[in-house]
Amino acid sequence: CGHGGDDSGAQGKFNGYFESHAVLDIGLRLRALLEKHVEVQMVREDDTFVSLPERCRMANEWGADIFVSIHLNSATSDASGFEVFTSGSTKSKALAKRVWSRHTTAFPDQKDRGIKTAGFYVLKHTNMPAVLTESCFLSNDAENQWVSLDETRQAMGEVIAEGIFDYFGIESSK
């Protein structure tokens, strides 16, 4: 889960909803779904800040099979939609494609901004396939209101979980 502590990340104009709180909630929901099938480690489990180098060190030390960083986007324009970022490695692209596919199926009316390669710190400095999700724009009032709903954050956790299960070939019943 991105951000935390004094680094609240994006903040919605509509209701002041903080990215750090939303992504932690999505991450905790995701963990509950994944734990039935795989071992899960989280770099943060509460509203504390963990630096980017520390996040990567932790994942590398654990010997994680994949790394998923959950975010909500922000823009000065009225941008909307979701996107998945990858380091560009073959396995990262495969993971990104599966998470992206589940998201497009679950939220067909949301603007699809695609899968993109980026040099984000956590994508460059982890030793395993890594993706960074931007599930909506907090700066967009409609998406801000939408992600502030419990059922939306639950569904976001589910699409990431299903994408991970697809990547590993795990059958799940949620």
Side-chain angles (χ1 to χ4, degrees):
C1 311
H3 306 284
D6 291 338
D7 177 11
S8 61
Q11 182 178 5
K13 297 179 288 182
F14 171 75
N15 59 7
Y17 198 55
F18 289 113
E19 177 182 11
S20 59
H21 299 152
V23 298
L24 177 60
D25 185 59
I26 294 166
L28 293 171
R29 293 168 186 268
L30 172 60
R31 177 178 66 183
L33 294 163
L34 293 174
E35 282 181 328
K36 299 171 188 173
H37 305 279
V38 297
E39 181 183 344
V40 179
Q41 296 279 352
M42 293 183 62
V43 297
R44 71 181 184 98
E45 298 180 11
D46 56 24
D47 192 23
T48 56
F49 176 74
V50 179
S51 71
L52 297 177
E54 180 63 9
R55 291 167 191 258
C56 296
R57 186 201 62 74
M58 292 167 74
N60 291 335
E61 187 175 285
W62 293 328
D65 293 321
I66 62 169
F67 183 90
V68 177
S69 188
I70 304 168
H71 292 266
L72 303 178
N73 222 331
S74 183
T76 54
S77 65
D78 199 29
S80 64
F82 75 97
E83 52 201 341
V84 181
F85 291 92
T86 171
S87 65
S89 75
T90 301
K91 289 183 178 182
S92 290
K93 286 179 183 178
L95 176 59
K97 183 177 180 181
R98 284 160 179 85
V99 171
W100 168 86
S101 177
R102 287 295 186 155
H103 195 107
T104 59
T105 301
F107 307 115
D109 296 332
Q110 191 181 20
K111 181 178 180 180
D112 175 5
R113 299 172 64 90
I115 299 171
K116 301 175 181 176
T117 300
F120 295 133
Y121 193 93
V122 295
L123 298 179
K124 289 182 2 181
H125 297 294
T126 48
N127 298 333
M128 66 289 303
V131 298
L132 186 145
T133 64
E134 294 277 8
S135 298
C136 71
F137 278 78
L138 274 183
S139 54
N140 178 294
D141 289 348
E143 289 194 349
N144 181 330
Q145 186 173 8
W146 177 60
V147 77
S148 68
L149 301 172
D150 285 344
E151 57 267 23
T152 301
R153 293 188 312 280
Q154 179 66 31
M156 287 179 174
E158 288 173 4
V159 299
I160 296 168
E162 291 300 323
I164 291 169
F165 293 145
D166 292 346
Y167 176 78
F168 286 113
I170 297 171
E171 292 291 324
S172 79
S173 59
K174 295 184 187 178

